[in-house]
Amino acid sequence: FLFVFFLTLPLVFFLFLYRCFLNVLFSLYDKMNTWSRIASVGVAGLAGVYVYSQVMNVIRTVTSIYDQIVNPMPSFDAAQAEGTAAA
């Protein structure tokens, strides 16, 4: 349980930073000129892509660890290796 908690802690932090960035963006949006608005929307989009990649990375890591625990690789001995090579 603690392992999953420590994996999701950075994710929660990234989502918090992204939300704070969006709050600042929308509160100052009326005071910006056109190019600043375009740049801020672009940076917000890149931040969203980054958060999405971090979320997918955490999901893949957790599913990989779960898969390795549930379906461990079988141990091969010499007799089993000979039997599979003949087939």
Side-chain angles (χ1 to χ4, degrees):
F1 176 74
L2 288 176
F3 183 72
V4 173
F5 174 74
F6 286 120
L7 277 177
T8 57
L9 191 61
L11 175 66
V12 171
F13 181 68
F14 288 130
L15 291 174
F16 174 74
L17 286 179
Y18 184 64
R19 181 67 182 157
C20 290
F21 177 75
L22 288 180
N23 283 340
V24 169
L25 175 68
F26 289 130
S27 65
L28 299 175
Y29 194 74
D30 293 335
K31 300 173 186 169
M32 295 180 184
N33 62 16
T34 304
W35 289 108
S36 297
R37 290 179 182 178
I38 292 171
S40 62
V41 169
V43 169
L46 290 175
V49 169
Y50 179 72
V51 168
Y52 172 76
S53 66
Q54 291 296 322
V55 168
M56 294 307 295
N57 190 15
V58 168
I59 290 171
R60 287 185 189 122
T61 302
V62 170
T63 55
S64 174
I65 291 170
Y66 176 77
D67 188 43
Q68 289 178 3
I69 291 172
V70 172
N71 301 320
M73 185 174 178
S75 61
F76 294 103
D77 56 355
Q80 191 177 16
E82 290 174 5
T84 56

